[in-house]
Amino acid sequence: MQTQLFHMDQMEEAAALIRAGHCVAFQTETVYGLGADASQEDAVKKIYEAKGRPSDNPLIVHVSSVDQARELSAAWPKTAEQLVQAFWPGPITLILPVKEGVLADVVTAGLDTVGLRFPATEAAQKLIQLAGCPIAAPSANSSGKPSPTTADHVYHDLQGKIAGIVDTGPATVGVESTIIDLTAKAMPVILRPGGLSREDIQAVIGPVAVSTSQVADDQTPIAPGMKYKHYSPDELVYIVDAPIDEWGHWMSHFQERGEKVGVLADQAVLNRWGKEAVAQFSLGDEGDEISASSRLFEGLRFFAETPATVILAQAYDLKGLGAAYMNRLEKAAGQKYLR
Ligand code: TXA
Ligand code: MG
């Protein structure tokens, strides 16, 4: 299949592909999504095929208005109304009871709930409006690889496997949406930390729990006990949770074993140790977890074009978007810490 490239002024052509049951990648504020008409079973199946993603994992449904979200859900609790008033369009996905018969079964993977999201980019909103249907979309990467924050990332992973990509510039938040389950009886539960912080959510609806299970993950384990492979570049990734002085020790540790070390860290660490690495990628100013979240996935992809065999990546505090950054980095690193 030839993958067609579009820009903002060709959105109607991209929308026509969606209506015809094909997959098109598009920019949201979090990451690029791989979209298909959420009411067409065969169209949605193409998403799973293109990504190589297990189809027992449900997809988020994207809408271009609050009313459209209400039409897809069987209940609309007060917390949903408060959250959408405060944060939509924006990087938060609500898990709500699904209305029967409006979405293809494969979207919800047989669950009686659905993840609903109103993305903030003009590109996403226009595509949904012109297509005239809710759009199911996971991140537009090959399953297991870092999520795409540019159209180039999508092209690299999925060219020849999808009908189109609309290139309208980079995704600025850089980590996927925060997923919050509003169907739980006791209190809302964050299933996946993401582009909107727990602190911001709690300021609007009060206390929320955070799930420690892996349900909101991109891949289901193939066998019990099997490790998740997620957000993983080909290089081995280690998380450095140590003072700046100790980076040199860990770099030598790997260099003595014949590895070529790449460093993914803030500017302070790079200024001090960058020249001893074979490649370096800046996450931004020291202590800026917003910048780190926005650059993480691009950074994880960057080292493929360099001689690096090992990536040492910096740990951040869990405050604000630091929780999402560390969640994705821990998966990329398979929990391997150096301290
Ligand atoms: O920012 C984002 O959320 C991006 C952009 C494209 O919008 N999308 C995204 O989708 O990250 P995806 O499919 O990679 O991750 C969605 C996760 C799935 O792994 C799934 O486990 C969870 O959301 N999910 C979807 N529906 C669910 C449901 N009804 N109950 C629990 N989890 C659900
Ligand atoms: Mg994903």
Side-chain angles (χ1 to χ4, degrees):
M1 176 190 313
Q2 173 91 12
T3 299
Q4 286 181 264
L5 296 179
F6 301 109
H7 292 96
M8 187 68 97
D9 58 359
Q10 297 163 300
M11 201 59 88
E12 176 47 41
E13 288 172 64
L17 287 176
I18 296 273
R19 285 193 301 268
H22 298 291
C23 297
V24 175
F26 61 98
Q27 175 216 30
T28 81
E29 76 279 31
T30 57
V31 299
Y32 268 70
L34 180 59
D37 179 348
S39 64
Q40 293 187 43
E41 188 88 12
D42 289 343
V44 176
K45 282 184 180 156
K46 289 179 190 168
I47 295 177
Y48 291 100
E49 280 161 30
K51 285 189 57 126
R53 165 169 164 147
S55 60
D56 56 353
N57 199 358
L59 302 175
I60 292 174
V61 175
H62 296 69
V63 296
S64 58
S65 71
V66 174
D67 284 346
Q68 196 178 14
R70 296 185 69 141
E71 282 163 22
L72 299 174
S73 51
W76 193 260
K78 186 171 162 225
T79 45
E81 189 56 32
Q82 290 172 313
L83 288 170
V84 306
Q85 290 297 332
F87 302 119
W88 270 11
I92 179 167
T93 295
L94 311 183
I95 305 293
L96 290 167
V98 66
K99 190 173 284 178
E100 250 179 78
V102 289
L103 297 170
D105 286 341
V106 61
V107 172
T108 54
L111 299 175
D112 54 11
T113 55
V114 62
L116 295 171
R117 162 156 149 72
F118 182 175
T121 54
E122 187 192 346
Q125 293 172 9
K126 223 169 146 185
L127 183 65
I128 298 162
Q129 282 160 12
L130 290 173
C133 57
I135 293 185
S139 50
N141 51 288
S142 290
S143 193
K145 291 292 160 200
S147 297
T149 54
T150 67
D152 280 353
H153 296 164
V154 179
Y155 189 78
H156 177 272
D157 280 16
L158 300 178
Q159 60 155 305
K161 297 181 176 171
I162 61 177
I165 303 172
V166 191
D167 184 355
T168 52
T172 50
V173 174
V175 288
E176 298 90 338
S177 61
T178 300
I179 301 179
I180 188 162
D181 184 353
L182 299 180
T183 67
K185 287 200 183 68
M187 71 169 75
V189 184
I190 291 178
L191 299 180
R192 176 179 75 182
L196 186 69
S197 73
R198 181 189 191 179
E199 294 91 322
D200 285 350
I201 291 169
Q202 293 193 141
V204 172
I205 59 168
V208 300
V210 177
S211 166
T212 49
S213 81
Q214 302 268 20
V215 283
D217 217 326
D218 200 43
Q219 277 197 322
T220 38
I222 293 159
M226 209 172 140
K227 271 242 171 81
Y228 286 86
K229 191 171 154 57
H230 201 171
Y231 306 116
S232 303
D234 293 334
E235 303 77 30
L236 281 177
V237 182
Y238 292 85
I239 304 172
V240 180
D241 186 12
I244 191 166
D245 288 344
E246 289 168 33
W247 278 75
H249 162 78
W250 288 114
M251 292 175 76
S252 316
H253 170 90
F254 288 102
Q255 284 156 352
E256 283 159 15
R257 283 159 182 77
E259 302 286 358
K260 297 192 172 64
V261 176
V263 174
L264 178 61
D266 69 26
Q267 207 48 55
V269 170
L270 295 186
N271 290 346
R272 173 88 177 268
W273 299 106
K275 59 188 176 302
E276 296 178 35
V278 296
Q280 51 179 302
F281 190 93
S282 175
L283 293 170
D285 290 339
E286 192 175 358
D288 183 351
E289 74 279 356
I290 295 174
S291 158
S293 302
S294 132
R295 297 185 195 181
L296 174 65
F297 288 141
E298 174 153 33
L300 288 171
R301 284 176 180 262
F302 164 79
F303 293 96
E305 313 298 324
T306 75
T309 56
V310 162
I311 302 171
L312 300 190
Q314 186 171 8
Y316 275 68
D317 289 344
L318 292 175
K319 72 169 162 66
L321 291 199
Y325 169 91
M326 287 304 291
N327 173 274
R328 306 303 189 273
L329 180 57
E330 283 189 342
K331 286 177 183 154
Q335 310 283 332
K336 295 191 298 297
Y337 272 92
L338 306 171
R339 344 186 189 241

